[in-house]
Amino acid sequence: MAPKKPVHGKLFINGKWVGSHSGKTFERRNPANPKELVGAFELGGKEDAKQAVDAAEDAFEEWSDTPAPKRGEILFSAAQILKERKEELARIISWEMGKPIVEGRGDVQEAIDTCEYFGGEGRRLLGHTTPSELKSKFCATIRRPVGVVGCITPWNFPVAIPSWKLAPALVCGNTVVFKPASDTPLCATKFVEILTGAGVPPGVLNMVTGPGEAVGMSIVRNKKVLGVSFTGNRDTGRAILENAGVKKVGLELGGKNAVIIMPDADMSLALDGCMWGAFGTTGQRCTAASRIILHEKVKQQFEKHFADRASKFRLGPGTDPRTHMGPLVNRAAQEKSEKYSQIGQDEGAKLLTGGRKPAREGWFFPPTVFTNVDIGMRIAQEEIFGPVVSLVPVSSLNEAIEACNSVEYGLSSSIFTRDINAAFRAIEKIEAGITYVNSATIGAEIHLPFGGVKQTGNGTREAGIEGINEFTETKTVYVDYSGKFQRAQIDG
Ligand code: UN1
């Protein structure tokens, strides 16, 4: 049973659930059935963001002095609570955001993995040591927390992505102001409850719900905030960079990810991979496969089966276990998929299936497949963030790689082939942060770095061992125990 009672969500500042200065709330509705209210959430603003930052600043000294293994233990407890409440949370995710329940469970599992992984970082947070050029001198690096950090998260992985940011931020000794997406405030509230229940002390983690311009930008502009981590759309990412001033900023801004299918590929595997990569989470992943670059020798065979399978997908609420694909997150997302379906037809691509919103309640849109897409067309260049896929025919591996690289983004990519030379050539030449061989573009594991090149980001990576770089400053330490005055570069 999905929870059905509307919630009144509050802000979380200095260890207390509080109302906003505005005294107003905003609503979130079930995307599969917009008549149904998920809840009303406090409409935070500049004042609330400021209060949250002040609370985080006050809590910083004690938290950053807490031994990192103790901070890690709190994350292990959070992982335990997430395990116990996995099913409940998965249902809330499906209800509030729309993804099928099986994917909701995956979202929670990703948060469990992340809390366990970064819990373990409490006993690592490795620096390095290296010899000195001088005698009797010790050289090393240690990691220090950044300070107060702002974590601004999207709705598509409403528990997992917050965990990618909050878990490393906390274990590294930062205090946090968390601004979740306004489409998934309930998931964020639950995650904060769990972290607090696991023992995160008051002031260390604060959450302010509300509009990006008022809340998010106040956090970004606040001089007491020394780091910002953001996942979301490119325009917001740019605005964050422009407003952050001199701060540590980590950005993950989406993709236009491609799967390359070579003639020697296992076709049934490639079909399964493309269905999952393109239509998993209703195409609403930064890593979603929105372009399939097809070798002309397998074009006919592939497009027929792919469109056939896509047209048989069952749309429905995420909470219904029979659902293949849930709704889009909101009306604007549905309109965007519809708009691009029209653009594709106007550009002269051939629509094989989908393209029109169904006559039913909810923000649904069917799997939509275009073929004979020219790589320069807008549907093959712009991020749609919906179940709209472009099949692009090519005649060689080089042409496929060139097509793959012809976009501004560079997050994920994939190639289906049995030819090891082709696979390694793709690994080397594709401009992306992630390349899969014989697997879809989605499904990154949390102990490996996640992020992209070109306009996908600004060079940071989340998750894995590199995930702590975003939330630590490196301090270089020199200890001269020679008892003499020694000058580097001169006395060596
Ligand atoms: C995203 O789409 O922003 O690799 C994150 C994946 C998931 C995370 C996606 N583990 O598809």
Side-chain angles (χ1 to χ4, degrees):
M1 268 280 292
K4 283 286 155 70
K5 213 164 101 323
V7 179
H8 176 187
K10 301 221 168 149
L11 314 181
F12 189 65
I13 299 177
N14 207 13
K16 292 196 176 68
W17 295 96
V18 295
S20 59
H21 280 78
S22 74
K24 294 184 188 146
T25 56
F26 64 96
E27 287 183 346
R28 173 61 186 164
R29 292 179 171 274
N30 174 355
N33 174 15
K35 287 200 183 104
E36 187 177 78
L37 189 64
V38 170
F41 297 85
E42 289 291 325
L43 188 76
K46 288 181 185 166
E47 284 292 311
D48 307 292
K50 184 179 172 302
Q51 239 176 31
V53 172
D54 289 344
E57 194 198 28
D58 289 347
F60 178 71
E61 194 174 333
E62 200 174 327
W63 181 244
S64 59
D65 273 350
T66 304
K70 284 259 170 294
R71 300 192 296 247
E73 274 170 26
I74 294 176
L75 294 183
F76 286 126
S77 303
Q80 188 53 39
I81 303 172
L82 284 163
K83 281 179 195 166
E84 286 156 15
R85 295 179 60 183
K86 182 171 175 179
E87 198 57 27
E88 172 205 343
L89 278 171
R91 286 188 178 278
I92 291 173
I93 292 171
S94 292
W95 186 47
E96 184 176 47
M97 179 273 170
K99 65 174 73 173
I101 184 75
V102 50
E103 292 187 36
R105 291 183 193 117
D107 201 312
V108 183
Q109 188 58 48
E110 198 160 333
I112 293 169
D113 298 343
T114 303
C115 287
E116 288 187 337
Y117 182 83
F118 285 109
E121 271 308 311
R123 290 188 183 270
R124 281 187 298 269
L125 289 181
L126 301 176
H128 60 267
T129 61
T130 185
S132 169
E133 62 187 51
L134 295 169
K135 283 184 187 165
S136 301
K137 189 177 170 192
F138 170 85
C139 303
T141 65
I142 59 167
R143 290 180 183 274
R144 297 296 303 150
V146 174
V148 177
V149 297
C151 296
I152 306 176
T153 59
W155 44 263
N156 64 337
F157 278 81
V159 178
I161 293 183
S163 80
W164 290 6
K165 299 186 192 300
L166 303 189
L170 293 172
V171 82
C172 293
N174 303 280
T175 54
V176 178
V177 181
F178 171 34
K179 149 65 179 112
S182 296
D183 282 316
T184 49
L186 180 57
C187 292
T189 301
K190 293 287 162 194
F191 190 44
V192 169
E193 265 173 31
I194 286 170
L195 285 166
T196 305
V200 175
V204 170
L205 169 61
N206 307 275
M207 180 184 77
V208 183
T209 47
E213 181 45 46
V215 179
M217 280 305 167
S218 299
I219 297 168
V220 168
R221 291 194 192 106
N222 193 312
K223 293 212 162 51
K224 293 178 180 172
V225 175
L226 298 181
V228 172
S229 177
F230 170 74
T231 299
N233 85 54
R234 194 170 54 175
D235 294 345
T236 310
R238 282 191 182 139
I240 287 176
L241 270 187
E242 279 159 20
N243 283 277
V246 184
K247 279 190 177 50
K248 214 171 151 106
V249 179
L251 300 173
E252 200 275 274
L253 307 178
K256 188 69 187 173
N257 315 291
V259 175
I260 295 174
I261 303 181
M262 295 303 289
D264 66 331
D266 176 333
M267 270 313 134
S268 129
L269 192 65
L271 268 167
D272 286 344
C274 288
M275 290 298 292
W276 174 227
F279 306 124
T281 327
T282 322
Q284 301 172 110
R285 296 196 192 204
C286 307
T287 47
S290 59
R291 300 179 297 152
I292 298 172
I293 299 171
L294 265 178
H295 196 283
E296 59 194 9
K297 285 191 186 145
V298 286
K299 175 178 178 284
Q300 255 189 339
Q301 177 196 3
F302 180 88
E303 71 185 21
K304 182 184 170 304
H305 287 112
F306 185 64
D308 195 46
R309 276 178 64 175
S311 66
K312 296 199 176 100
F313 245 34
R314 198 182 305 114
L315 305 188
T319 44
D320 181 342
R322 293 166 305 177
T323 291
H324 291 136
M325 198 171 86
L328 287 159
V329 69
N330 56 32
R331 184 202 294 271
Q334 186 194 42
E335 282 170 357
K336 191 172 184 190
S337 282
E338 194 167 41
K339 182 182 97 178
Y340 275 98
S341 298
Q342 190 57 50
I343 290 173
Q345 292 174 72
D346 295 347
E347 287 179 310
K350 184 175 165 198
L351 182 66
L352 293 178
T353 183
R356 289 171 73 116
K357 67 176 180 209
R360 62 182 289 173
E361 283 289 318
W363 314 128
F364 291 96
F365 201 78
T368 296
V369 182
F370 282 102
T371 191
N372 300 343
V373 177
D374 187 277
I375 196 64
M377 290 179 183
R378 284 183 65 191
I379 49 168
Q381 290 287 323
E382 296 170 21
E383 188 180 43
I384 302 171
F385 227 65
V388 181
V389 186
S390 293
L391 307 189
V392 180
V394 292
S395 54
S396 68
L397 176 63
N398 282 348
E399 205 189 320
I401 293 173
E402 204 177 303
C404 178
N405 291 345
S406 72
V407 293
E408 292 181 328
Y409 294 102
L411 180 54
S412 188
S413 57
S414 133
I415 181 166
F416 283 86
T417 180
R418 289 171 165 124
D419 176 347
I420 192 156
N421 297 358
F424 270 91
R425 195 165 164 71
I427 290 169
E428 194 174 276
K429 293 291 176 193
I430 288 177
E431 296 164 358
I434 305 168
T435 297
Y436 290 88
V437 177
N438 293 330
S439 185
T441 52
I442 65 176
E445 300 177 30
I446 66 87
H447 53 298
L448 286 108
F450 182 93
V453 303
K454 302 203 287 193
Q455 305 245 326
T456 290
N458 58 343
T460 53
R461 292 290 181 271
E462 295 190 281
I465 194 148
E466 294 185 30
I468 55 174
N469 293 342
E470 208 180 334
F471 297 102
T472 53
E473 294 285 5
T474 297
K475 172 169 284 184
T476 306
V477 181
Y478 297 104
V479 181
D480 189 322
Y481 54 96
S482 68
K484 291 189 301 218
F485 177 61
Q486 307 193 84
R487 293 173 298 179
Q489 293 94 35
I490 295 172
D491 297 330

